[in-house]
Amino acid sequence: MPDVTCKLSGLEKSFGRNHVLRGIDLELRAGEVTALMGANGAGKSTLVKVLCGYHFADAGEIELAGAPFKPLDAADAISKGVVTVHQSIDDGVIPDLDVATNLTLDLLTEPGADFFVNDRKLRRQARKVAESMGLTMDVRTRVADLEVADRQMIAIARAMARAPKLLILDEPTSSLSASEADRLFALIDRLRAEGVAILYISHRMSDIRRVADRIVSMRDGAISGLFETEPLDYVGAVNAMLGHQMTEVDIDPVAGGDPILEVDGVRLHENGPQIDLTAREGEVVALTGLLGSGTTELAEVLFGLAKPAGGTLRLDDKAYTPKSAEDAVAKGVFMSPKDRSVNAVVPDFDIANNMTLPFLGAFSRFSFLSERGQRRAADDMIGKIGIVCQGNGDGINTLSGGNQQKVMIGRWLLQASRVLLLDEPFQGVDIGARRDIGHYIRQTAKGRTTLVFVAEIDEALEIADRIVVMHEAAIVGEYINKNVDLNRLVADVSGPAGGQGQSEPATQAMAG
């Protein structure tokens, strides 16, 4: 068994009457990735802050590499070998400085460092750090000018330059695309092989399947489940985190009314399989599958961002051939894209301007924008969808990731649509915010059809009337969201053993 890098025994923490950590016992081992799961308020953040030196535990003990560990503050924790890369990427880098300065900043501030900086030496040291982490960007580049994934990698590289014994990654893929996340996972594999103990905090089951050696579930300040026997029990881990079975959701599925969107023989690739799908008025359909299953590509076809390789689309029984996203919106097909930081959020705008951006015409009269109408509509949506903020004039970047996502969802709910496409609407969102969003989407479902594209099975179960599974650009399973056979659903997501085609539950679901 690997050596224990960090051992927590009987850890307790309270804030007033709020008992946040309740007797945490946990071992974090060298060369292993321990995934930590828990809903908002479970105690994950407090546990991390105790490890980082931001908070002191009220009771209990921590050992690091066999010695007592009682960090005085964050800097002391780092010097002793506990380094955290926070969910907010810019907490780990200084955007206005170049890559070289970010990577060597800690060397510059060490006791005994030279008063005058040798620029050539600095860049040489930075290149050495970058190469050790597989980074290829020019170290003279300003960090603010880099993509999100590169900023994340620099934050991790800076952390690794401190030679940590324990590396804590807090929701590291919340702002990353699939390809960017793959780069991160490859780096985690390297660090694990080097013997670093990694605590990986995430609510995304696809991440956990990819990286975890073991899973720890938290609920109400205590560890509610530990899963380390191969194969890992992902369903059990989610159930332990939620406190109930993943399939126990408060949804009474509706069959839907007349067809609104009909997908007939659509192929996403040349010579690819045909996709047939009918989405009806008032129903919420979740399309789920592993990365590369075709869900995002189908969403792009429906929104006019890509052309299908074959087949036809019909909207309200009329041919639907969107030439662009603008054309799709004009026809009543709206889409909230994934990767909000790249495709949706306008950083310099406040909440109201971000939310109303696609529909400024609706708030204008004789070419004059009615700011009062804009802000009234934004306030109304803030209340309905539960956005936590001071007011509609708050800058979008002052909000948490979950509340930013609510703004993006609220944007496309301001006006009535016939088809609402939501691509990974719960990205970077904790379970509480997820249920707020899901509840409002279902509450407003009449008058349109809603297609939700999600990689996580539990997200599909929490929002949909019907769940459609895709694999390799084909529909391979379909389920009415009532008493779902979870094992069969997971098997469909992983890929049918007998090749492509619909499974038995799909036939039953369509007949129902």
Side-chain angles (χ1 to χ4, degrees), residues 178-477:
S179 60
E180 291 167 344
D182 284 341
R183 288 177 57 198
L184 174 64
F185 296 150
L187 179 56
I188 289 171
D189 289 340
R190 288 180 55 195
L191 300 179
R192 174 167 40 198
E194 292 171 8
V196 178
I198 299 173
L199 181 62
Y200 188 100
I201 302 165
S202 181
H203 67 278
R204 298 188 66 82
M205 191 56 70
S206 54
D207 284 14
I208 292 168
R209 284 193 183 97
R210 171 62 178 80
V211 301
D213 296 300
R214 57 211 286 262
I215 305 172
V216 174
S217 299
M218 285 188 70
R219 188 175 74 254
D220 297 330
I223 290 178
S224 54
L226 175 61
F227 304 87
E228 52 188 354
T229 303
E230 290 290 344
L232 294 178
D233 183 0
Y234 304 108
V235 173
V238 174
N239 291 343
M241 175 186 75
L242 297 176
H244 60 75
Q245 296 294 312
M246 189 161 58
T247 51
E248 291 176 9
V249 292
D250 186 22
I251 285 180
D252 187 13
V254 302
D258 294 333
I260 290 182
L261 179 68
E262 296 170 271
V263 179
D264 186 11
V266 164
R267 297 195 307 275
L268 302 179
H269 313 291
E270 289 294 336
N271 303 316
Q274 293 186 350
I275 296 173
D276 297 307
L277 177 68
T278 299
R280 300 177 178 276
E281 188 275 329
E283 78 169 334
V284 178
V285 181
L287 291 97
T288 188
L290 300 175
L291 293 174
S293 63
T295 55
T296 292
E297 290 85 348
L298 178 58
E300 290 174 347
V301 166
L302 297 177
F303 196 52
L305 297 175
K307 300 293 182 186
T312 60
L313 302 173
R314 297 185 69 79
L315 180 64
D316 287 323
D317 207 28
K318 296 178 183 177
Y320 172 60
T321 54
K323 300 177 179 61
S324 63
E326 185 179 15
D327 186 32
V329 171
K331 290 179 167 66
V333 179
F334 299 172
M335 178 172 163
S336 177
K338 67 178 178 181
D339 297 334
R340 64 175 178 270
S341 61
V342 176
N343 298 322
V345 168
V346 182
D348 294 333
F349 282 10
D350 62 17
I351 294 172
N353 282 304
N354 261 286
M355 193 179 285
T356 59
L357 185 61
F359 305 112
L360 294 181
F363 302 102
S364 302
R365 183 176 176 83
F366 304 120
S367 300
F368 292 100
L369 182 64
S370 169
E371 186 175 353
R372 180 180 296 178
Q374 239 188 317
R375 298 198 176 275
R376 188 184 301 120
D379 278 338
D380 184 53
M381 185 56 67
I382 286 169
K384 286 178 176 176
I385 206 167
I387 297 168
V388 179
C389 62
Q390 297 298 313
N392 65 59
D394 289 1
I396 191 73
N397 283 335
T398 67
L399 303 183
S400 68
N403 282 295
Q404 285 187 26
Q405 191 72 353
K406 287 183 180 182
V407 173
M408 294 303 101
I409 301 297
R411 170 189 286 178
W412 295 106
L413 292 168
L414 276 180
Q415 299 287 311
S417 61
R418 291 300 284 159
V419 180
L420 179 61
L421 308 171
L422 302 172
D423 194 4
E424 294 293 353
F426 308 120
Q427 191 173 49
V429 171
D430 64 62
I431 286 179
R434 185 166 97 193
R435 288 181 175 169
D436 287 345
I437 293 171
H439 176 74
Y440 190 70
I441 288 168
R442 290 191 60 80
Q443 191 180 56
T444 61
K446 289 184 179 178
R448 67 168 190 259
T449 190
T450 306
L451 275 64
V452 185
F453 300 83
V454 291
E456 307 299 326
I457 293 174
D458 54 320
E459 294 176 2
L461 289 165
E462 285 187 4
I463 195 170
D465 298 302
R466 182 161 49 112
I467 300 170
V468 174
V469 181
M470 293 189 66
H471 182 76
E472 295 184 353
I475 291 177
V476 296

Side-chain angles (χ1 to χ4, degrees), residues 11-32:
L11 224 58
E12 301 273 347
K13 182 65 181 176
S14 297
F15 297 100
R17 295 182 179 180
N18 187 14
H19 202 173
V20 183
L21 297 180
R22 304 169 182 267
I24 301 294
D25 296 318
L26 181 62
E27 292 182 349
L28 303 172
R29 301 169 188 151
E32 283 190 352

Side-chain angles (χ1 to χ4, degrees), residues 119-188:
D119 191 59
R120 183 175 296 177
K121 181 181 178 182
L122 179 79
R123 298 191 190 286
R124 187 165 58 247
Q125 289 174 316
R127 288 191 189 97
K128 185 177 179 180
V129 174
E131 287 169 3
S132 71
M133 299 296 291
L135 303 179
T136 58
M137 77 280 290
D138 187 339
V139 296
R140 294 170 293 183
T141 306
R142 194 172 70 118
V143 168
D145 296 330
L146 295 173
E147 296 293 329
V148 171
D150 286 327
R151 296 204 302 272
Q152 181 103 47
M153 293 298 186
I154 290 167
I156 295 174
R158 185 179 169 197
M160 292 310 299
R162 297 155 167 159
K165 300 179 179 72
L166 171 63
L167 177 64
I168 302 172
L169 299 174
D170 187 3
E171 296 283 3
T173 63
S174 61
S175 300
L176 302 186
S177 67
S179 60
E180 291 167 344
D182 284 341
R183 288 177 57 198
L184 174 64
F185 296 150
L187 179 56
I188 289 171

Side-chain angles (χ1 to χ4, degrees), residues 468-471 474-479 492-493 495-496 499-503 506:
V468 174
V469 181
M470 293 189 66
H471 182 76
I475 291 177
V476 296
E478 191 170 334
Y479 299 79
D492 276 349
V493 169
Q500 292 172 336
Q502 288 178 325
S503 65

